[in-house]
Amino acid sequence: MRPYFLYLDDARDPFNSKVKWPERVYSLEPVIVRNYTEFIEKLQLYGLPEIVSFDFDLCTEHYRCGSLARFQSLAHYRTLKDTGAGCAKFLIDYCKKHKKSLPVYYCHSANSAGRQYILKLLNDFKAIQEKELKKEVNQDGKD
């Protein structure tokens, strides 16, 4: 498949939302997935997207918890299965397994605690990847 934009959201369409996407998004093939299972299937079928955007709440169970977000800590979201965070974790594991860098990522979720958690997962992994890359470059320079 040619370069694509992977959009994870149980209800919204990426181009009928209030999100202002970078121009590059509009030139990519959009692949819309509605849940954790579809996310994994498309990632395994098409490989890494050029750009990916995550929603956090992907089913009714998540919305009930999300409505209480002001009372929840980020630790609470680690217990919910098949959220956007679960998809982010799968993407990280996929990148580790295939020795790939993370694609450009966004989180368009209205759930602020869930959004923070997804971005923390991805930013932490990206920092590790960048640190490892610097280490490799420094080692190569010593040879």
Side-chain angles (χ1 to χ4, degrees):
M1 177 173 208
R2 64 184 192 162
Y4 71 103
F5 168 48
L6 184 58
Y7 182 82
L8 172 67
D9 197 299
D10 62 317
R12 292 174 286 204
D13 180 285
F15 305 116
N16 290 335
S17 68
K18 295 178 181 177
V19 177
K20 299 292 184 210
W21 300 109
E23 278 301 311
R24 179 67 179 136
V25 168
Y26 299 99
S27 65
L28 297 172
E29 179 77 28
V31 174
I32 300 169
V33 293
R34 300 297 185 190
N35 57 49
Y36 178 82
T37 302
E38 288 180 11
F39 183 89
I40 292 170
E41 287 171 356
K42 296 301 182 194
L43 189 60
Q44 291 176 331
L45 180 64
Y46 299 137
L48 278 180
E50 185 170 324
I51 300 173
V52 60
S53 188
F54 296 88
D55 184 18
F56 181 82
D57 300 303
L58 301 177
C59 70
T60 308
E61 172 191 329
H62 304 160
Y63 289 118
R64 283 195 304 269
C65 295
S67 66
L68 302 173
R70 64 179 180 233
F71 304 111
Q72 306 294 341
S73 69
L74 288 179
H76 167 76
Y77 290 106
R78 292 186 187 110
T79 64
L80 295 176
K81 294 181 180 177
D82 302 339
T83 62
C87 295
K89 289 177 184 179
F90 185 86
L91 177 65
I92 289 167
D93 290 341
Y94 182 94
C95 289
K96 286 178 184 177
K97 180 180 177 182
H98 296 279
K99 297 182 180 2
K100 300 279 188 180
S101 296
L102 279 173
V104 174
Y105 56 86
Y106 298 94
C107 187
H108 62 272
S109 182
N111 179 328
S112 61
R115 183 174 57 249
Q116 289 172 9
Y117 184 52
I118 289 171
L119 291 174
K120 179 172 178 15
L121 289 170
L122 296 169
N123 290 337
D124 288 353
F125 180 66
K126 184 177 178 181
I128 290 167
Q129 282 191 316
E130 289 172 352
K131 186 176 179 180
E132 289 173 355
L133 183 61
K134 277 186 183 178
K135 189 176 178 181
E136 287 175 16
V137 168
N138 288 339
Q139 287 176 349
D140 288 344
K142 292 178 182 177
D143 294 339

